[in-house]
Amino acid sequence: MSQQSMIRADAEPASHHHPDPKRVGDRVFSGLATGSGVLILVILALVAAFLLIQGTPALLADPAKLTAQGYGPFAEWVAPYVFGTLWAAALALFLAVPVSIGIALFISHYAPRRLAQPLGYVIDLLAAVPSVVFGLWGAAVLAPAVQPMWAWLNANLGFIPLFGGQASGTGRTILTAAIVLATMVLPIITSLCREVFLQAPKLHEEAALALGATHWEMIKMAVLPFARPGIIAAVMLGLGRALGETMAVAMVLSGGRQISFQLLTSENPNTIAATIAQNFPEAFGLKVNQLIAAGLVLFVITLAVNTIARWIVARRAQYSGAN
Amino acid sequence: MSKRIEVTDLNVYYGDFRAVEDVTMAIEPKAITAFIGPSGCGKSTFLRTLNRMHEVVPGARVEGEVLLDGENLYGPGVDPVRVRRQVGMVFQRPNPFPTMSIKENVLAGINLNNRRMPASEKDALAERALRGANLWDEVKNRLDAPGSGLSGGQQQRLCIARAIAMEPQVLLMDEPCSALDPISTLAIEDLMAKLKEEYTIVIVTHNMQQAARISDVTAFFNIAGTGSPGRLIESGPTEKIFSVPDVKATEDYISGRFG
């Protein structure tokens, strides 16, 4: 989305066929708009350049040298963290998306107005809580609280591989971290979805109702299909935050380097962001390059996620109702 | 498949505001009844009480009776969803579902009630409805294309096809031509003349020539002023209303000497 608005800002002066030198306001404003658009591109380019320049030494280094002076051969070293990042984010979205869509639908289509407004504010407030506070809450309150539940799941449903293994005694597992992450991405997804749901055309809602649709059928026919691209965009924004979130994971999880789908054990995969944060203070030399290269990997993952989201949204553009 | 509607002492309220006051009238089957009147006179609101669509607005309520062949639409235990399956509606602006293809649009109502209908039967029904809406020849080769790709007039006929695919007892049309060009309007009017052989049709229109051209019965609604409720001034055979109405206000409105 930001990319689109950037392109528009860039294109604006070109589409001005009759520039009038006297209109100072126009020129100042178009200059400012173009400048802002260019600025964000420049910042992005600088970040990418930093990651490439500082990370490349680790990518090109002899694996033996990395083993001696760094954390070990790069691909082998980074793979578990890539897995941890994706796994934690996927879990968080799995928990957050249905709840978010539910809350958003409740606010936009079910709740009486008196309740909908305050609820909307509360959700937005949730987004204002600093991530370190969520991390503290997760480690100090949530983990001990869910530990008995995790133990129960492990004891009774342990035959399902997800719940297998040796249950953690502290409750500080990847599932707990995913809950904290889900709480953090929930307000983003909810408020975006709510906005999109509220924009669903009355015209189509009435068309559905007039055909004898129930309230829920109307939502399925007129609201959700209209909101689909918006929901995907919201989920991707949430995913972006979940992928890059550092503090919550770092504080809840004592992550390691295993690739494991087990949710309840104390042997948990760590995420790229948390790994960088935890190791950077005492890193030097090649280790620094290696951590930055991990940052580059995270950057690429996020970029890929956004591209895929864009592609999904564009694929059904002709059915989106924009035409 | 058409039923007679009898309305007795109908009052429509939005919260404390009375939008329509004391309407009593009968709407005959297999005929076109046109509602005319100035903006805000309650004719669209009244139309929407005939399939309980006005209830979509929070705080809307109704006093009085609407009988569909003797059955009160506002009786205790009557589900508005059921009512709307019997009383179809076409809106002012064409509103095919943008995420659905032409065929899916036609079958949208059927898919709500009767998912188990075999595909061949659905295809036949879609064809019948599209033929009924005089649209088949124009879309038969692109049934799977999005409905929103059609022209405005075609979209409106698609919406009519969607409504008649439900085989309703009554078809309500709320200014169905006001967003269309004259050619498309003519196509819809021709279609209505054909549809009235099977359905009870009620149309709200701002176009008096249209009311005169197509309707059998005309009902004139008016308001005394802003904030006062709309009332049914008179209704009767269209030729009579347009030549020798009983009430002066009707004559003034029809002859353009209004206000």
Side-chain angles (χ1 to χ4, degrees):
Chain A
M1 275 161 299
S2 61
Q3 213 172 338
Q4 248 171 5
S5 54
M6 262 151 42
I7 290 166
R8 268 191 216 125
D10 287 344
E12 202 189 334
S15 67
H16 243 288
H17 291 301
H18 305 288
D20 187 339
K22 282 178 211 149
R23 284 191 202 148
V24 180
D26 270 1
R27 291 177 61 196
V28 169
F29 187 77
S30 85
L32 278 175
T34 313
S36 316
V38 170
L39 183 68
I40 193 76
L41 276 180
V42 169
I43 292 175
L44 198 69
L46 287 176
V47 170
F50 155 75
L51 288 173
L52 274 172
I53 293 167
Q54 301 270 313
T56 313
L59 294 175
L60 298 181
D62 180 17
K65 198 175 165 198
L66 276 176
T67 310
Q69 295 175 22
Y71 301 106
F74 184 73
E76 210 176 291
W77 169 75
V78 85
Y81 299 133
V82 171
F83 167 80
T85 303
L86 295 176
W87 181 228
L91 285 173
L93 283 186
F94 178 77
L95 295 172
V97 170
V99 180
S100 296
I101 292 177
I103 298 173
L105 270 181
F106 177 73
I107 293 175
S108 67
H109 282 83
Y110 284 96
R113 198 167 301 165
R114 260 175 321 183
L115 189 62
Q117 286 245 327
L119 195 60
Y121 290 136
V122 170
I123 298 289
D124 288 344
L125 213 65
L126 208 56
V129 178
S131 60
V132 73
V133 174
F134 275 116
L136 272 177
W137 168 74
V141 179
L142 185 66
V146 294
Q147 196 280 329
M149 225 171 355
W150 289 177
W152 183 88
L153 272 178
N154 179 255
N156 293 285
L157 294 170
F159 58 89
I160 302 170
L162 280 179
F163 300 134
Q166 174 68 44
S168 157
T170 60
R172 294 167 69 158
T173 76
I174 188 133
L175 189 55
T176 311
I179 293 176
V180 178
L181 275 180
T183 320
M184 298 176 70
V185 301
L186 187 102
I188 302 175
I189 304 180
T190 303
S191 55
L192 275 169
C193 285
R194 183 192 60 196
E195 288 308 311
V196 182
F197 292 158
L198 284 173
Q199 280 168 19
K202 265 262 157 335
L203 215 63
H204 298 128
E205 295 184 5
E206 292 196 334
L209 290 173
L211 286 172
T214 61
H215 203 77
W216 166 236
E217 286 167 338
M218 179 272 280
I219 287 170
K220 272 195 300 185
M221 281 174 98
V223 179
L224 293 181
F226 167 83
R228 195 171 160 275
I231 295 174
I232 293 172
V235 170
M236 289 304 152
L237 267 181
L239 181 56
R241 174 142 197 211
L243 286 172
E245 180 46 45
T246 314
M247 287 319 294
V249 181
M251 293 175 77
V252 172
L253 217 56
S254 45
R257 296 195 45 235
Q258 43 282 107
I259 295 182
S260 156
F261 286 100
Q262 293 177 342
L263 298 175
L264 307 175
T265 66
S266 43
E267 310 271 296
N268 294 290
N270 208 352
T271 66
I272 294 178
T275 302
I276 295 174
Q278 283 159 345
N279 291 313
F280 200 78
E282 56 231 47
F284 55 90
L286 259 183
K287 287 187 171 178
V288 172
N289 297 121
Q290 207 165 347
L291 288 173
I292 292 173
L296 181 64
V297 171
L298 182 58
F299 184 76
V300 170
I301 292 175
T302 315
L303 207 67
V305 163
N306 274 310
T307 312
I308 292 169
R310 231 161 245 292
W311 176 73
I312 294 173
V313 172
R315 207 168 45 138
R316 275 177 65 99
Q318 64 166 341
Y319 282 97
S320 73
N323 47 355
Chain B
M1 294 245 295
S2 64
K3 286 188 175 176
R4 180 184 156 90
I5 303 174
E6 275 173 274
V7 182
T8 319
D9 293 332
L10 191 85
N11 287 281
V12 188
Y13 298 86
Y14 290 121
D16 294 329
F17 173 67
R18 174 144 65 162
V20 176
E21 184 177 20
D22 283 337
V23 175
T24 298
M25 74 178 296
I27 295 167
E28 297 301 328
K30 302 202 175 184
I32 299 180
T33 302
F35 294 171
I36 61 170
S39 297
C41 71
K43 56 191 187 309
S44 285
T45 301
F46 176 56
L47 185 81
R48 286 167 156 256
T49 61
L50 301 180
N51 68 343
R52 299 187 64 167
M53 273 300 285
H54 70 290
E55 289 172 19
V56 172
V57 179
R61 66 199 162 83
V62 152
E63 285 168 7
E65 265 188 349
V66 178
L67 302 180
L68 189 63
D69 267 8
E71 189 193 341
N72 189 2
L73 298 187
Y74 290 91
V78 174
D79 182 357
V81 168
R82 292 261 150 243
V83 171
R84 292 176 199 140
R85 286 180 185 182
Q86 290 184 56
V87 183
M89 188 162 194
V90 175
F91 294 82
Q92 189 169 357
R93 281 175 58 201
N95 56 1
F97 296 113
T99 50
M100 295 184 190
S101 71
I102 292 172
K103 192 164 92 182
E104 286 166 345
N105 261 291
V106 177
L107 296 173
I110 295 303
N111 285 335
L112 287 175
N113 314 307
N114 195 356
R115 283 188 175 282
R116 277 166 215 277
M117 187 186 274
S120 59
E121 220 171 292
K122 281 189 180 180
D123 287 349
L125 176 69
E127 178 173 345
R128 207 157 61 232
L130 283 167
R131 281 190 192 280
N134 288 348
L135 190 61
W136 175 253
D137 289 331
E138 291 158 67
V139 300
K140 63 184 174 194
N141 295 323
R142 45 173 172 154
L143 291 174
D144 294 319
S148 51
L150 299 173
S151 76
Q154 289 172 326
Q155 287 189 20
Q156 194 63 302
R157 277 179 283 147
L158 178 59
C159 294
I160 294 174
R162 183 174 67 186
I164 62 180
M166 300 278 289
E167 302 180 338
Q169 310 291 344
V170 179
L171 194 57
L172 307 177
M173 306 179 105
D174 189 357
E175 298 183 45
C177 303
S178 66
L180 304 182
D181 66 84
I183 308 276
S184 309
T185 300
L186 194 66
I188 304 273
E189 288 181 7
D190 287 347
L191 172 59
M192 288 172 68
K194 185 175 113 182
L195 290 174
K196 83 169 184 183
E197 291 165 14
E198 276 186 79
Y199 302 98
T200 308
I201 297 183
V202 188
I203 176 173
V204 166
T205 179
H206 273 293
N207 181 335
M208 258 156 328
Q209 286 83 359
Q210 183 171 57
R213 271 196 304 266
I214 59 168
S215 70
D216 304 289
V217 176
T218 299
F220 174 60
F221 289 76
N222 205 352
I223 37 169
T226 318
S228 52
R231 312 189 59 141
L232 173 64
I233 304 300
E234 71 174 306
S235 72
T238 300
E239 308 93 77
K240 177 173 179 289
I241 296 286
F242 276 86
S243 52
V244 283
D246 291 333
V247 184
K248 178 81 166 52
T250 314
E251 194 181 345
D252 287 350
Y253 183 74
I254 285 167
S255 57
R257 267 179 288 149
F258 182 72

